[in-house]
């Protein structure tokens, strides 16, 4: 194991940088696989999660509070448009994360970090803003015993956040020789 001085004058080890890059690549790969399978499942079994999205947006299994029901979207055309947009976002996220994973495997750390960050931020937006905030709060998904995806969304949001943090760990400097 060799040590290399950084711009701050402290020594870093190449092994710890390699381990951090490996961890970032593995976490990125896990999330790439996950979201690729989710997108594939939503494309090949369109109807299952279509019903989920329709019920969440229609708010038909919530407490039916008149003060909240004005938020409901009952148009199936709008519901299906939202679902197709979710699938498109998942697919692009998967492709970006697969590319990031490939770059980690090729040891192109700078580009791997950049693309992985883009893909992970896409997941954080989808699961945090989309499913937790908008689905969970705006459409009161938390009230539904049948169509509540908040636990699953929170798990993916948390794992994506951890992966993003690992992806942002400082890289070890390489020897000039």
């Amino acid at each position: 194991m060799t040590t290399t001085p950084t711009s701050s004058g402290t020594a870093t080890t190449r092994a710890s940088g390699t381990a951090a890059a490996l961890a970032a690549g593995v976490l990125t790969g896990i999330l790439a696989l996950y979201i690729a399978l989710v997108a594939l499942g939503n494309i090949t079994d369109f109807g299952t999660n279509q019903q989920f999205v329709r019920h969440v947006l229609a708010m038909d299994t919530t407490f039916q509070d008149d003060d909240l029901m004005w938020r409901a979207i009952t148009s199936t055309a709008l519901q299906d448009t939202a679902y197709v947009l979710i699938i498109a976002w998942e697919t692009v996220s998967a492709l970006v994360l697969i590319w990031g994973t490939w770059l980690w495997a090729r040891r192109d750390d700078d580009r791997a970090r950049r693309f992985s960050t883009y893909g992970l931020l896409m997941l954080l937006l989808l699961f945090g803003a989309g499913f937790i905030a908008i689905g969970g709060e705006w459409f009161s998904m938390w009230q539904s015993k049948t169509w509540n995806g908040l636990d699953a969304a929170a798990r993916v949001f948390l794992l994506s956040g951890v992966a993003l943090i690992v992806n942002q760990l400082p890289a070890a400097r390489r020897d000039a020789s």
Side-chain angles (χ1 to χ4, degrees), residues 84-154:
V84 168
L85 290 172
I86 290 168
I87 295 170
W89 190 269
E90 291 167 345
T91 303
V92 173
S93 300
L95 293 171
V96 171
L97 289 168
I98 289 166
W99 182 245
T101 304
W102 172 253
L103 292 170
W104 282 119
R106 304 272 310 172
R107 301 185 126 196
D108 187 352
D109 291 6
D110 291 337
R111 288 181 26 181
R113 181 171 287 109
R114 184 170 65 247
F115 280 95
S116 295
T117 297
Y118 296 154
L120 293 167
L121 288 173
M122 290 177 76
L123 290 184
L124 288 170
L125 283 169
L126 178 62
F127 287 91
F131 296 142
I132 296 171
I134 295 171
E137 288 303 317
W138 185 256
F139 291 106
S140 300
M141 182 170 54
W142 66 270
Q143 294 179 1
S144 177
K145 291 182 178 163
T146 311
W147 302 103
N148 186 341
L150 287 174
D151 287 342

Side-chain angles (χ1 to χ4, degrees), residues 50-62 79 147:
Q50 177 189 34
Q51 292 307 309
F52 180 90
V53 171
R54 283 183 174 181
H55 285 288
V56 169
L57 295 180
M59 300 173 66
D60 57 3
T61 60
T62 63
Q79 293 167 345
W147 302 103

